[in-house]
Amino acid sequence: MVDWNLAVATATRLVRPGPEVSRDEARAVVAELRRHAKASEGHVRGFTRMGTEDTHDTPILVVDRPGWVRANVAGFREILKPLLDKMQERRGNTPGGAMLGAVGGKVTGVELGMLLSFLSSRVLGQYETFAPATRELPAGTQGGGRLLLVAPNIVHVERELDVDPHDFRLWVCLHEETHRTQFSAVPWLRDHLEGEIQSFLGETDVDPMTFLERVRDAAQSLAGGRPEGEEDDGGRSLVELVQTPAQREILARLTAVMSLLEGHADFVMDGVGPEVVGSVAEIREKFQQRRAKGASRLDIALRRLLGLDAKLKQYRDGERFVRGVVDQVGMDGFNRVWTSPNTLPTKAEIAKPADWVARVHRKAES
């Protein structure tokens, strides 16, 4: 169904070259990122009060853009396996299914490679949760993931923003280390997310004609070609527009969780920042300005199509939720959010922190 090797090859061939650095400078950047990532552990634990000794099970990997691509292909391959197996079985029972599968796998591999080549120059860091360990890309031995820091992208952005490179590198590490702490300190979080993703994929209609019909309708909507009388799509991305009603319910829960995780990381990096990052105010201001605008009209169009604008909204909404809860009940009170899946905020509560406090705290106290 997907030629994964072709996806990697395509992305690697199309990926933009990173900023020009000498061999010695590249080695120095890698070494500094590793030091900052290690130092961030103590800063994040102290600020969040999420004590854990299990972060050693999640290795820190400083990678280039092709390395990020390979890690994410491995993650996609793992998480999509049940869905692709189901689609493969269904296609195998149709006339010419094997030939269609071979051709379709090549096409999908190229398309995925093109998408990853676009994203590979934009990601500064990532806690990669689901990919299995390989010799080239190790992962946690007890089910933990791995922390990826994309060195050329970090150097590119620090130069673009014209900020202190050492401060910026530590600032990025604080954000990514928060994600590593979240999954290390909350053992059920990974399985919960995987369960939600598999439920989402399980609702996928594998009938090609039905799916193509949804894609066609989505394309008409994005192009402004909705039939007269139909409601506006509300600016949803192509990914959202091809979903079933059941998938939208699951996506609402996933969006709330991702808003929590991303907003918490932003809250932590800004909370720790003033103590250890001297120029944090300047970095935050310039970085927010960069987030708010695309580099070009094409970039803006692709961000909307892929739903990346929704991810930017997650940062803002999630950070406001975390700040609102901490203001009301303190850090220890906020940390009740990690008790179980039942204490995670709903999408509505992300927008109204007081509702989450009323549900989780007042119910527990009554």
Side-chain angles (χ1 to χ4, degrees):
M1 298 302 299
V2 181
D3 189 328
W4 299 106
N5 292 331
L6 183 57
V8 172
T10 300
T12 302
R13 185 174 67 253
L14 296 177
V15 70
R16 298 177 183 178
E20 291 187 9
V21 294
S22 67
R23 185 180 296 272
D24 288 343
E25 185 179 3
R27 289 173 176 164
V29 170
V30 170
E32 183 174 15
L33 286 172
R34 287 176 176 156
R35 289 196 305 271
H36 284 331
K38 187 64 178 175
S40 295
E41 290 184 34
H43 296 313
V44 170
R45 288 185 199 177
F47 184 81
T48 63
R49 302 176 191 170
M50 297 173 68
T52 174
E53 298 299 326
D54 295 331
T55 52
H56 65 273
D57 189 44
T58 54
I60 301 166
L61 305 179
V62 182
V63 298
D64 57 9
R65 290 169 179 174
W68 180 87
V69 167
R70 288 190 292 271
N72 277 266
V73 165
F76 285 143
R77 191 169 189 168
E78 183 75 10
I79 202 70
L80 293 176
K81 188 177 186 302
L83 173 63
L84 295 180
D85 286 348
K86 183 169 69 172
M87 295 179 70
Q88 183 70 39
E89 181 181 358
R90 184 161 183 170
R91 177 174 282 179
N93 295 328
T94 62
M99 181 177 295
L100 287 172
V103 174
K106 299 291 185 185
V107 172
T108 308
V110 170
E111 291 173 339
L112 178 59
M114 293 172 66
L115 170 62
L116 289 172
S117 71
F118 170 76
L119 294 174
S120 67
S121 62
R122 285 158 172 76
V123 177
L124 301 182
Q126 174 186 0
Y127 184 80
E128 215 294 319
T129 316
F130 302 110
T134 65
R135 181 181 301 177
E136 183 181 29
L137 292 166
T141 56
Q142 303 297 323
R146 54 194 173 210
L147 181 62
L148 305 177
L149 297 168
V150 191
N153 295 349
I154 293 172
V155 172
H156 170 77
V157 174
E158 69 192 27
R159 291 179 178 179
E160 179 185 324
L161 298 181
D162 190 25
V163 294
D164 183 283
H166 309 293
D167 281 0
F168 184 75
R169 293 165 196 174
L170 177 55
W171 189 70
V172 170
C173 288
L174 288 170
H175 182 102
E176 303 308 330
E177 177 57 36
T178 303
H179 289 317
R180 192 162 76 125
T181 296
Q182 289 163 348
F183 283 91
S184 299
V186 186
W188 54 263
L189 184 57
R190 179 188 182 278
D191 290 340
H192 173 71
L193 270 180
E194 184 173 13
E196 290 282 60
I197 292 170
Q198 291 304 332
S199 295
F200 181 89
L201 296 176
E203 290 291 335
T204 300
D205 193 327
V206 295
D207 177 65
M209 293 307 297
T210 302
F211 185 77
L212 287 173
E213 187 174 321
R214 287 207 194 103
V215 171
R216 184 197 63 197
D217 292 343
Q220 288 178 347
S221 179
L222 287 170
R226 291 181 303 279
E228 186 176 353
E230 284 197 5
E231 294 183 1
D232 190 277
D233 59 78
R236 289 180 294 172
S237 69
L238 178 61
V239 177
E240 292 174 292
L241 287 166
V242 298
Q243 292 162 8
T244 66
Q247 285 176 314
R248 290 192 185 111
E249 291 183 10
I250 299 169
L251 183 67
R253 296 196 298 268
L254 279 169
T255 298
V257 176
M258 298 311 297
S259 296
L260 169 68
L261 298 180
E262 296 294 359
H264 184 231
D266 265 15
F267 179 78
V268 171
M269 72 195 298
D270 286 345
V272 174
E275 297 182 6
V276 297
V277 181
S279 57
V280 64
E282 178 191 3
I283 291 173
R284 166 55 77 185
E285 181 181 359
K286 290 184 175 180
F287 195 75
Q288 289 286 55
Q289 292 173 357
R290 182 181 185 273
R291 270 183 179 174
K293 65 181 181 180
S296 65
R297 289 186 178 182
L298 174 61
D299 191 69
I300 293 171
L302 284 171
R303 283 183 5 179
R304 183 188 176 200
L305 184 67
L306 298 173
L308 299 183
D309 281 341
K311 184 172 178 64
L312 298 180
K313 189 172 184 295
Q314 287 175 10
Y315 286 102
R316 295 191 297 269
D317 293 349
E319 196 275 341
R320 281 196 293 266
F321 169 80
V322 176
R323 188 173 299 281
V325 172
V326 171
D327 285 346
Q328 292 185 61
V329 295
M331 185 64 74
D332 291 334
F334 165 78
N335 281 340
R336 287 194 189 181
V337 78
W338 311 116
T339 303
S340 75
N342 292 330
T343 57
L344 291 172
T346 65
K347 190 175 180 181
E349 288 171 341
I350 287 288
K352 296 182 177 179
D355 289 356
W356 179 88
V357 172
R359 176 173 68 86
V360 174
H361 281 263
R362 293 174 189 170
K363 182 178 179 181
E365 293 166 0
S366 62

